[in-house]
Amino acid sequence: MASCCNSLKLEGMFSSAFRSSKRSSNAIWIPSSSSCNLYIHGFPLKNNSFSVSHSRSFTIKASSSSSTAIVEPEGIKITSVPTKPIEGQKTGTSGLRKKVKVFMEENYLSNWIQSLFNSLPPEDYKNGVLVLGGDGRYFNREASQIIIKIAAGNGVGKILVGRDGIMSTPAVSAANGGFIMSASHNPGGPEYDWGIKFNYNSGQPAPESITDKIYGNTLSISEIKMAEIPDVDLSRTGVTKYGSFTVEVVDPVSDYLELMESVFDFRLIKSLLARSDFRFAFDAMHAVTGAYAKPIFVDKLGASPDSISNGVPLEDFGHGHPDPNLTYAKDLVNTMYSENGPDFGAASDGDGDRNMILGKKFFVTPSDSVAIIAANAQEAIPYFQGGPKGLARSMPTSGALDRVAEKLGLKFFEVPTGWKFFGNLMDAGKLSICGEESFGTGSDHIREKDGIWAVLAWLSIIAHRNKDKKPGEKLVSVSDVVKQHWATYGRNFFSRYDYEECASEGANKMIDYLRGLASKSKAGEKYGKFPINPSTRCIGNCHLCILLLFDCLKFLIVGNYVLQCADDFSYTDPVDGSVASKQGVRFVFTDGSRIIFRLSGTGSAGATVRVYIEQFEPDASKQDMDAQVALKPLIGMLVIISTIYSFRQFTNKSYGCISDLALSVSKLKDFTGREKPTVIT
Ligand code: VG1
Ligand code: CO
């Protein structure tokens, strides 16, 4: 890894707005000179019924003996708080996520934050600048104060905090990294999730080499270094100094907005939004982009104020699940599919790094979205006027992007799931545009996926295609753009099935089983017949199997697929040589079809099994089909692959024919009450 020096230091994007303040005595508050209340004035981090007293749960407590003041450098007292290791603080795909109640347990958050400082070279943070953002969810206010005190206790020179603790993941990444208090697309509130992400080196999510170290340190931690400073008022912008330590509360939007203006042609987008024959809708899902939507889309680009829905960030996301997909952004989907609905719709997730793009009665899959942005970037987005350097996608994301890379003669990379794998390629100048099937799209303007960026990219493409259209002339729509793309490149039908909150043990066993199956498979093997092997023994106990068995009945007719390869995906980073293995079991067929199984690394309880299904269709006359219909044969086959071992588990009998299997299914359905995946995208 490249040297980490300066990685937490203030550089780049934010430097214009942040003044270096003069040294002053303890706890002096200096209002910011910029008009920071302009954008999210009155943003309510609600003090509602489920708020808890700051003093009750969130002060650091000594696990065994009482605290000792050890040093008093430059005016602040640092206390060493004894603590004990806590199990299970392992970072997942993107940050540490648990139920909020777990994070609220004694020293849970503090242990992890201290372990993080214990994992970094001191020169990376001593007297440096750290950014602290968050999505406004429940517990962020208390967590901000804990993080600030531990950062000060470890010698960080300055913390920049978004007002009210609000700053999106892309905005924190743009500021070269720091902490983001968010469980992203997971729901929030007292009964739900909390999480923390740490972005390092040039703003990218901390690599596994660091998160593994943090985890190691959580298992041996014995003290937390805590500055004895009062809680900082985060509700107004300005600077507060405690000895040599500074907290600056900043407007979370202005510098991010400036960055967006440098990437896109705002005049072009403005001209589209000004048209009476184009209607725009954005659903902020009561999450962090609520703070960004009005200043960017309404104030800057001229969209109508009522085009923004759920535009106020709330601690529990208004009882919603801030995951922009067809299931959880249902209101927007209904609006877009209604008669006389808007022409363009978009939504973003809890921390603002995901996006969903919709046209009138039309859903753009994220895998298509990144391919279409890449294909149109050079002509529609000034940032890419020299052409993108290279393209990349996560392994389960469909191959639509591969075809664009091939046609444009661009370098192409396939990386494991998780944005952290793109950063090195970007830093090395090999990658400009990338995406994940999980509603993540972005570019090397920052080191995170970026929800607002994706919306602006799509608006730019639509605006560019229509820039010469006179009033009254039919506009090129979102669906026109997508269908033209399919006609040129072919269509990769894609769907993902999520089975949330399965029992972990069974899910792990199922993946182990599939891994074994993949390793035994041989190229040229034919799939497509029901391959019941009566000697197969059940080894698992996973709800997925039950669900798949049920689904199996619906898809008995399977296609004829010839296996090209099957493996458990492993990735060697071409820049630093690091290896990430066991990243998902894939079955790839000779026609380009794929079935992939992996376990989610972002859940807070149990296991979520993700199944990805893809099939390529070059024939334009067949590209209009519904993805669920087009993928039926493959879905049937994945059911079969998954059930080879699993149907025995409840009966311990062999089944030689499908009717026997059917008999067992109804019992299984009775047992779980679940018939379908929790989410299909
Ligand atoms: C999921 C997605 C992955 C994404 C990650 C973080 O991970 O599949 O593509 O990078 O969430 O997104 P998993 O391990 O649950 O499949 V976010 O918006 O929650 O930071
Ligand atoms: Co997110």
Side-chain angles (χ1 to χ4, degrees):
M1 196 176 61
S3 156
C4 299
C5 293
N6 295 331
S7 55
L8 296 181
K9 302 215 168 101
L10 181 62
E11 277 177 6
M13 297 314 149
F14 281 109
S15 52
S16 59
F18 298 153
R19 299 159 297 106
S20 58
S21 41
K22 283 185 259 121
R23 275 186 181 265
S24 55
S25 61
N26 245 2
I28 290 183
W29 180 75
I30 309 161
S32 267
S33 55
S34 55
S35 58
C36 295
N37 288 331
L38 187 61
Y39 297 129
I40 54 169
H41 180 76
F43 161 68
L45 265 176
K46 287 196 302 185
N47 250 320
N48 56 22
S49 52
F50 51 72
S51 290
V52 290
S53 135
H54 285 228
S55 54
R56 181 170 54 79
S57 317
F58 307 111
T59 44
I60 294 268
K61 289 183 193 139
S63 286
S64 48
S65 56
S66 57
S67 314
T68 340
I70 44 169
V71 271
E72 281 189 42
E74 302 187 53
I76 28 171
K77 189 190 230 175
I78 313 293
T79 302
S80 168
V81 182
T83 189
K84 287 183 180 149
I86 299 171
E87 289 287 318
Q89 297 198 310
K90 199 168 171 43
T91 306
T93 311
S94 179
L96 179 68
R97 297 183 199 185
K98 299 284 172 198
K99 294 288 176 210
V100 70
K101 283 183 176 150
V102 173
F103 266 107
M104 288 161 75
E105 284 165 14
E106 186 179 330
N107 292 358
Y108 194 93
L109 172 61
S110 310
N111 270 17
W112 192 83
I113 300 288
Q114 182 61 55
S115 299
L116 185 142
F117 282 112
N118 295 347
S119 308
L120 303 178
E123 62 272 21
D124 276 12
Y125 58 84
K126 292 268 180 202
N127 304 313
V129 180
L130 183 71
V131 179
L132 175 60
D135 61 4
R137 75 176 58 218
Y138 177 72
F139 186 55
N140 278 14
R141 280 179 300 146
E142 293 82 0
S144 316
Q145 303 298 341
I146 292 175
I147 295 167
I148 290 169
K149 286 170 192 171
I150 298 176
N154 283 276
V156 169
K158 180 173 183 174
I159 287 221
L160 295 170
V161 197
R163 187 178 41 239
D164 287 315
I166 288 275
M167 194 184 284
S168 72
T169 291
V172 171
S173 179
N176 278 340
F179 292 109
I180 303 141
M181 301 173 289
S182 173
S184 195
H185 59 285
N186 299 16
E191 300 305 320
Y192 294 102
D193 293 2
W194 201 80
I196 183 139
K197 299 182 177 189
F198 176 60
N199 287 35
Y200 202 38
N201 252 4
S202 55
Q204 68 176 333
E208 276 170 5
S209 55
I210 291 182
T211 55
D212 287 350
K213 251 192 215 165
I214 300 172
Y215 178 56
N217 283 327
T218 63
L219 300 175
S220 61
I221 187 168
S222 60
E223 66 154 353
I224 299 157
K225 289 180 201 152
M226 188 84 176
E228 286 198 15
I229 54 175
D231 282 3
V232 181
D233 177 6
L234 301 180
S235 66
R236 49 185 183 163
T237 54
V239 177
T240 310
K241 292 181 79 59
Y242 303 97
S244 57
F245 176 67
T246 305
V247 179
E248 181 162 1
V249 180
V250 298
D251 168 26
V253 181
S254 52
D255 292 280
Y256 175 79
L257 171 57
E258 216 173 273
L259 173 63
M260 291 299 109
E261 287 184 272
S262 73
V263 170
F264 297 101
D265 179 349
F266 267 42
R267 270 193 312 185
L268 176 71
I269 300 173
K270 208 173 172 175
S271 67
L272 175 72
L273 292 174
R275 294 185 71 118
S276 58
D277 51 357
F278 182 83
R279 278 195 299 135
F280 167 77
F282 181 79
D283 187 344
M285 304 190 85
H286 284 303
V288 76
T289 53
Y292 292 76
K294 183 174 173 294
I296 297 178
F297 298 123
V298 178
D299 300 344
K300 208 55 182 188
L301 289 166
S304 118
D306 59 17
S307 61
I308 311 293
S309 54
N310 303 319
V312 177
L314 296 174
E315 287 191 330
D316 64 349
F317 307 110
H319 304 297
H321 192 143
D323 194 353
N325 60 38
L326 296 173
T327 303
Y328 295 127
K330 198 73 194 147
D331 290 350
L332 176 69
V333 174
N334 290 343
T335 304
M336 296 304 299
Y337 279 78
S338 64
E339 282 316 311
N340 299 318
D343 301 281
F344 184 99
S348 191
D349 73 328
D351 59 335
D353 55 356
R354 295 186 178 205
N355 73 92
M356 174 167 69
I357 304 292
L358 297 157
K360 197 191 276 283
K361 298 189 178 173
F362 194 86
F363 164 63
V364 186
T365 69
S367 297
D368 279 345
S369 174
V370 64
I372 292 165
I373 291 173
N376 292 279
Q378 188 166 11
E379 59 181 32
I381 303 172
Y383 182 84
F384 300 108
Q385 61 190 332
K389 290 172 201 143
L391 307 177
R393 60 163 171 81
S394 66
M395 184 273 280
T397 304
S398 95
L401 188 65
D402 313 29
R403 295 170 198 282
V404 176
E406 198 182 346
K407 191 159 183 140
L408 302 185
L410 296 173
K411 284 195 280 285
F412 175 76
F413 304 89
E414 182 181 41
V415 308
T417 295
W419 211 262
K420 57 186 170 237
F421 296 102
F422 294 123
N424 275 355
L425 297 167
M426 290 178 177
D427 286 348
K430 294 173 185 292
L431 170 62
S432 294
I433 297 175
C434 52
E436 297 193 277
E437 49 61 43
S438 54
F439 298 84
T441 329
S443 90
D444 61 349
H445 68 290
I446 56 169
R447 297 293 178 270
E448 276 282 7
K449 54 190 187 272
D450 190 341
I452 300 257
W453 175 92
V455 179
L456 294 172
W458 265 93
L459 287 173
S460 301
I461 293 167
I462 302 295
H464 178 76
R465 293 283 179 96
N466 291 298
K467 69 178 183 321
D468 300 323
K469 288 276 157 67
K470 307 224 163 39
E473 257 185 275
K474 191 185 170 304
L475 295 186
V476 177
S477 67
V478 170
S479 65
D480 293 338
V481 170
V482 176
K483 286 176 183 170
Q484 284 165 18
H485 185 91
W486 292 341
T488 309
Y489 294 91
R491 176 173 180 186
N492 288 69
F493 283 103
F494 180 86
S495 187
R496 183 177 104 183
Y497 281 26
D498 294 336
Y499 298 83
E500 295 170 323
E501 298 195 15
C502 292
S504 297
E505 201 192 335
N508 284 324
K509 281 183 177 166
M510 191 191 80
I511 294 290
D512 283 347
Y513 167 77
L514 290 167
R515 192 173 285 136
L517 186 67
S519 71
K520 278 181 244 131
S521 309
K522 292 188 187 68
E525 276 174 357
K526 286 209 167 150
Y527 283 61
K529 292 199 178 119
F530 193 65
I532 289 182
N533 173 356
S535 67
T536 305
R537 301 283 307 173
C538 163
I539 53 166
N541 175 26
C542 171
H543 290 184
L544 174 68
C545 312
I546 303 157
L547 297 161
L548 292 177
L549 275 168
F550 183 81
D551 279 355
C552 182
L553 290 180
K554 294 183 265 178
F555 302 114
L556 293 179
I557 305 157
V558 294
N560 262 326
Y561 295 89
V562 179
L563 191 74
Q564 184 178 313
C565 61
D567 65 1
D568 192 354
F569 182 62
S570 175
Y571 175 70
T572 304
D573 186 302
V575 180
D576 65 15
S578 59
V579 176
S581 54
K582 298 189 172 176
Q583 297 294 320
V585 180
R586 52 183 185 170
F587 295 84
V588 183
F589 302 94
T590 48
D591 66 349
S593 304
R594 299 192 303 166
I595 301 175
I596 295 154
F597 300 82
R598 60 177 285 280
L599 296 184
S600 156
T602 55
S604 61
T608 292
V609 179
R610 304 206 195 283
V611 187
Y612 311 77
I613 311 125
E614 176 184 1
Q615 179 162 294
F616 181 63
E617 180 54 75
D619 182 347
S621 70
K622 295 183 187 157
Q623 288 169 353
D624 246 349
M625 232 188 270
D626 179 86
Q628 297 306 317
V629 176
L631 293 169
K632 240 181 188 186
L634 270 177
I635 290 165
M637 192 158 58
L638 88 85
V639 169
I640 288 164
I641 290 173
S642 315
T643 50
I644 291 172
Y645 82 96
S646 61
F647 64 82
R648 293 178 52 97
Q649 71 192 65
F650 293 100
T651 59
N652 206 24
K653 279 198 288 180
S654 320
Y655 293 97
C657 71
I658 199 69
S659 54
D660 286 345
L661 182 59
L663 277 178
S664 75
V665 166
S666 55
K667 262 185 252 155
L668 302 176
K669 188 186 150 199
D670 289 348
F671 182 69
T672 65
R674 288 170 65 180
E675 296 184 357
K676 289 178 181 157
T678 354
V679 179
I680 296 181
T681 37

